Amino acid sequence: PALALDVAAPAAVTIAREIAVSALREWMAQVGNRESVKVGLAGKWKTATQMTAISCLLLAVEPVPVPAMLGGAAAGWLYIVGAIGLWLSTVLALLSAYSYFAAAWPTLSAPPRPRT
């Protein structure tokens, strides 16, 4: 199956989340508060789910020989499992991003400190 909105939309959301969280972590490290945005359990589950989903999607697309060895229906099922897994990892990505930004909010909302 051709990659369509069922894969492109969660991928775009996840990429935007990765950029935002990376920027947040970098900024928090610069202000000396890296510990408040360390990787949490939701982030770890997001990564595991994401890697599994991507593997399924890669196996479902030609010219990988695995679906051919398993039969034509396997490629369809791998694609469905991969797409659902990608959406699940996107939900986990948004939940973990929320937790990181919530943990950083006191620092983000504090008045700026004068530079010395």
Side-chain angles (χ1 to χ4, degrees):
L3 295 180
L5 193 57
D6 56 342
V7 174
V13 171
T14 300
I15 290 168
R17 178 260 186 212
E18 295 297 332
I19 293 168
V21 169
S22 294
L24 175 67
R25 285 195 176 125
E26 182 66 27
W27 185 79
M28 292 295 282
Q30 287 180 0
V31 298
N33 203 356
R34 177 184 297 241
E35 193 64 25
S36 67
V37 288
K38 64 181 179 181
V39 176
L41 188 60
K44 291 180 181 189
W45 277 102
K46 182 263 320 173
T47 302
T49 306
Q50 190 175 52
M51 294 302 149
T52 303
I54 291 169
S55 297
C56 288
L57 290 169
L58 288 172
L59 289 172
V61 178
E62 296 288 335
V64 177
V66 174
M69 292 182 339
L70 297 174
W77 281 106
L78 282 170
Y79 187 85
I80 291 168
V81 169
I84 291 170
L86 196 58
W87 277 102
L88 177 59
S89 73
T90 301
V91 170
L92 292 170
L94 293 174
L95 290 173
S96 66
Y98 174 80
S99 71
Y100 298 142
F101 277 91
W105 183 248
T107 305
L108 292 170
S109 62
R113 291 183 280 175
R115 293 184 178 210
T116 56

